[in-house]
Amino acid sequence: MMRAVRLLLAALGVAASLAVGLVVLAAGPSTPDRAALVPAGTIHLPAQAGPDAGLRLWSPCVDLANAERAKIGRAPLAIDLRMARAATAHSAEQAARLLMTHDGANGSDAGDRITSAGFTWSAWGENVARGQRDCAAVVTAWMNSSGHRANILSASYTHIGMGAVRGSNGSIYWTMDLAAAR
């Protein structure tokens, strides 16, 4: 099994730090039935120029969100690379603007951004935050806010993408995109 996972990740150009229990969907026009089970741990795409330069999936944040979902009997969210790209790009834009916002500079919302990244959705939600130092702090902040908590715990969502980028002011700008595939 581990050899098959490593071969799949190599074919996708993904280098992984492997441990147990994370679902990663292949980039591109994949569907949930082509999901690869990848053990938990932080997964990084290769350091290179291009759309995935610096992309990190923030699996510890996803693990914490999934732990909260498990407490109420919800299925875990699956990390989707397309959604991670959209979330990371939005965090980078927020960091560049030094502005925590759901709205992109071009007027886009999370639905627009995940669609542009290639994910076809039937429902979506987004959590943003600024200033928390790590996954534990940001997920705790979101769980202490009724709207953000509702997004994390919603039975409507099956997929997740996380982004976090530090701005020139030293603050980390976090984005959690959640969606259900159509």
Side-chain angles (χ1 to χ4, degrees):
M1 171 74 169
M2 291 306 267
R3 185 175 192 291
V5 168
R6 289 178 198 271
L7 289 173
L8 174 64
L9 290 173
L12 293 172
V14 178
S17 166
L18 301 174
V20 175
L22 174 69
V23 177
V24 177
L25 299 182
S30 65
T31 57
D33 61 326
R34 293 188 47 190
L37 292 179
V38 179
T42 303
I43 298 171
H44 298 272
L45 294 181
Q48 62 187 21
D52 292 330
L55 182 65
R56 180 175 170 191
L57 298 184
W58 295 100
S59 60
C61 296
V62 176
D63 290 344
L64 290 168
N66 281 335
E68 294 294 338
R69 290 173 64 86
K71 290 177 186 176
I72 62 165
R74 295 274 190 265
L77 298 163
I79 294 176
D80 185 274
L81 296 179
R82 297 161 295 184
M83 291 180 58
R85 287 183 188 110
T88 299
H90 187 58
S91 286
E93 181 182 302
Q94 291 179 88
R97 294 169 66 194
L98 301 179
L99 176 67
M100 184 184 75
T101 179
H102 289 284
D103 301 321
N106 63 358
S108 64
D109 62 25
D112 298 325
R113 293 186 291 271
I114 62 177
T115 297
S116 292
F119 187 90
T120 304
W121 52 268
S122 60
W124 63 265
E126 180 176 73
N127 291 343
V128 295
R130 179 184 73 96
Q132 293 78 9
R133 71 183 186 285
D134 58 26
C135 289
V138 75
V139 173
T140 296
W142 284 330
M143 291 303 292
N144 287 329
S145 162
S146 61
H148 297 103
R149 178 184 181 85
N151 276 346
I152 291 170
L153 299 180
S154 176
S156 298
Y157 305 135
T158 54
H159 295 78
I160 188 170
M162 285 290 306
V165 175
R166 187 178 304 277
S168 62
N169 59 0
S171 288
I172 299 174
Y173 292 80
W174 297 89
T175 303
M176 174 187 275
D177 286 335
L178 305 129
R182 186 169 359 151

